[in-house]
Amino acid sequence: MRATNTILGQHFSIAGQLRFTFPRMLMSLFIMSYMVADGVLISRYMGTVALASLNMIFPLAIFLGAVGIMLSAGGGSVVSRRLGAGDSHGADRALSSLVYAEFVFGLVVGIIGILLLDPLLGFLHVNEEQYAFAYDYQFVWLLFMPFFLLSVLSQTFFTVAGFPKLGLAVSIASGLTNVVLDIVFMGPLGWGMWGAALATVISWIVAAAAGALFFCRKNAPIRIIVTAPDWAALKGACRSGFSEMVGSLSSSVTLYLFNAAFMLWLGVDGVAALTIASYSTYVFNSIFYGFCEATGPILGYKYGEQNWKELAHVFKNSLVIMTVFSLGAYGLSIIFAKPVLAFFTPETSPVFDLVLANFGLFALSLLLLCPNMFAAYLFTAMGDGKRAALVSFCRTFLFTVLAIECLPNLIGEIGLWLAVPVAEALTFILSVVLIAANRRRYGYDGQPALVINKD
């Protein structure tokens, strides 16, 4: 029996599930911290104009990354269900097809992106002062696009294979590579934005190479093999992971709308306050994301195995864990609000007073964020991309846009800070209804499922 079957096929107590998901939660935290450090170092060595240019091209990165995340998350769902059903060769074919697809997609999109880079930067409203910084960074980024997608895939599949600790180690190595090379390339070598981009690219190569070395071994839990494309697996990956792409794409639109609304009502200080509030809660967002992503393969495996008792057990475990996480996150965010917010801006600044006065309202979203994320991952694990995408679309776009556009006009400035909690509350209602209505369909109530999705 393969190691993956032994690990994902075991009985998971609450403590066991936490042990399995903990490395993925730490991985999310490390990725978040490295992203922040990357921006800080660019600002330190290249100035605020360089940092602003990076932010201007961020929507393009979100768009391209969304497709990779879709294939990774959806592919993980397909592979975990096949493993649960005992189809190890099918799991190998699915993983291999995903690797081929990510590489080819990255190559094609990278070439097209380089050819269209000038009009793309114009579309993103990059001004003359930012142009050279943005062009240099994005050119290198697009040139090595396949490695970005393969790094995302490898870090996801370490968890799917049942080795989240190894994924964590690779994530740490990749992130440290980025930070150290940022300092070397932009500092002593003086390579500017080319150096910053190259440091990021090399960190992708580290993660992708680690994945290749691990999954190409003969005794790997899931293997990369030479095979014809598994179109059923690719179709299933797109269907199951569609919600992840929807969430990523929607976030770029809603971020723009939030910035515009806060600028209109509160000016520059308001946008700064929103940014600080978001960063202050992002640590919990990362933990929730890591837990849900790591729990997905367990649910998919139990579902593919048709072990309804264990599927229901993991589902109930998750409800308990999420309740504790949510209450703990909100409590800690309130207790430590003042020192955390002061880390981003001096206590004597008007921005600090503004964000401190309203942070308690903004942080209410933490009470419902994890269950809403889990709902999307639950349906992804079952191979139900439509319901997963519905939850993600409503949470990250529909309800959020309605809240930020309507609440301030109805109740004034307080509506700005309540927009995210209200959107999460509406999504929670939708999630509860969908989960309750489909418990018999997918068997997480402990009885045999009415529908079995193989891909």
Side-chain angles (χ1 to χ4, degrees):
M1 180 179 290
R2 290 191 178 189
T4 300
N5 301 70
T6 304
I7 295 169
L8 295 181
Q10 67 179 300
H11 171 76
F12 282 92
S13 62
I14 290 179
Q17 189 171 339
L18 284 172
R19 281 195 298 271
F20 182 84
T21 58
F22 183 69
R24 187 62 185 87
M25 289 187 274
L26 279 184
M27 189 191 304
S28 295
L29 284 175
F30 276 113
I31 291 173
M32 185 247 338
S33 63
Y34 293 143
M35 289 174 61
V36 174
D38 200 36
V40 169
L41 289 170
I42 288 175
S43 179
R44 168 73 172 78
Y45 287 105
M46 304 299 300
T48 55
V49 174
L51 180 61
S53 70
L54 196 63
N55 291 335
M56 291 298 291
I57 58 177
F58 192 60
L60 180 60
I62 290 177
F63 174 77
L64 297 175
V67 178
I69 291 172
M70 175 186 72
L71 290 174
S72 297
S77 173
V78 171
V79 170
S80 63
R81 291 197 301 274
R82 288 188 177 185
L83 288 171
D87 185 9
S88 296
H89 181 66
D92 293 343
R93 290 190 65 223
L95 172 60
S96 304
S97 298
L98 289 165
V99 170
Y100 303 155
E102 295 271 31
F103 184 83
V104 172
F105 176 80
L107 194 63
V108 172
V109 171
I111 293 172
I112 295 174
I114 289 173
L115 294 175
L116 299 177
L117 189 52
D118 276 330
L120 283 172
L121 294 180
F123 176 77
L124 294 171
H125 303 293
V126 175
N127 62 33
E128 291 183 8
E129 189 179 15
Q130 300 166 334
Y131 180 85
F133 294 116
Y135 187 94
D136 289 352
Y137 192 92
Q138 197 63 51
F139 182 89
V140 177
W141 202 89
L142 289 168
L143 192 63
F144 291 89
M145 181 71 186
F147 292 101
F148 167 66
L149 298 181
L150 291 175
S151 70
V152 173
L153 186 75
S154 68
Q155 290 179 335
T156 297
F157 270 85
F158 281 124
T159 301
V160 174
F163 290 82
K165 292 180 181 178
L166 181 57
L168 172 61
V170 171
S171 178
I172 293 173
S174 174
L176 287 177
T177 299
N178 189 10
V179 171
V180 171
L181 292 183
D182 265 338
I183 295 172
V184 174
F185 291 165
M186 288 189 289
L189 296 181
W191 289 356
M193 289 297 277
W194 286 94
L198 188 59
T200 300
V201 164
I202 294 175
S203 74
W204 298 342
I205 294 174
V206 168
L213 290 173
F214 182 79
F215 290 109
C216 286
R217 297 176 303 129
K218 288 185 178 180
N219 60 340
I222 318 169
R223 292 181 57 204
I224 298 174
I225 60 175
V226 177
T227 181
D230 188 335
W231 299 111
L234 293 174
K235 181 180 178 181
C238 293
R239 183 177 62 246
S240 298
F242 185 67
S243 64
E244 294 301 305
M245 186 177 72
V246 168
S248 295
L249 295 178
S250 299
S251 64
S252 62
V253 178
T254 53
L255 176 60
Y256 169 79
L257 293 175
F258 265 86
N259 285 338
F262 271 75
M263 178 67 77
L264 176 64
W265 284 83
L266 300 173
V268 176
D269 284 353
V271 176
L274 170 65
T275 303
I276 292 171
S278 299
Y279 268 81
S280 299
T281 58
Y282 197 67
V283 60
F284 297 114
N285 292 17
S286 299
I287 291 172
F288 296 162
Y289 175 80
F291 169 76
C292 293
E293 186 177 65
T295 299
I298 303 174
L299 293 167
Y301 186 95
K302 305 299 184 186
Y303 175 71
E305 189 182 28
Q306 299 186 31
N307 191 336
W308 312 118
K309 182 179 178 181
E310 284 297 312
L311 177 61
H313 182 73
V314 174
F315 176 76
K316 292 175 182 176
N317 284 351
S318 301
L319 297 182
V320 173
I321 293 170
M322 287 188 295
T323 300
V324 174
F325 275 7
S326 300
L327 293 174
Y330 182 72
L332 289 172
S333 68
I334 297 302
I335 293 172
F336 295 103
K338 192 170 183 178
V340 170
L341 298 175
F343 176 78
F344 294 96
T345 185
E347 292 187 30
T348 55
S349 70
V351 172
F352 179 84
D353 292 334
L354 178 60
V355 68
L356 182 62
N358 296 283
F359 185 71
L361 297 175
F362 184 84
L364 286 170
S365 61
L366 294 174
L367 293 172
L368 302 174
L369 177 59
C370 192
N372 291 337
M373 283 185 177
F374 177 79
Y377 271 94
L378 172 65
F379 289 117
T380 296
M382 303 297 107
D384 190 341
K386 291 181 180 179
R387 289 177 176 83
L390 177 62
V391 173
S392 291
F393 175 75
C394 289
R395 185 178 77 85
T396 60
F397 187 78
L398 180 61
F399 294 153
T400 304
V401 170
L402 289 174
I404 195 60
E405 293 297 323
C406 296
L407 285 180
N409 293 319
L410 293 174
I411 58 177
E413 292 179 5
I414 193 175
L416 296 169
W417 301 98
L418 284 173
V420 174
V422 167
E424 294 292 350
L426 293 173
T427 306
F428 181 74
I429 295 171
L430 173 64
S431 298
V432 170
V433 170
L434 289 176
I435 288 174
N438 290 279
R439 64 189 186 281
R440 281 281 55 257
R441 181 182 180 89
Y442 295 122
Y444 46 82
D445 62 349
Q447 300 300 316
L450 300 177
V451 176
I452 303 295
N453 291 321
K454 295 183 178 180
D455 289 315

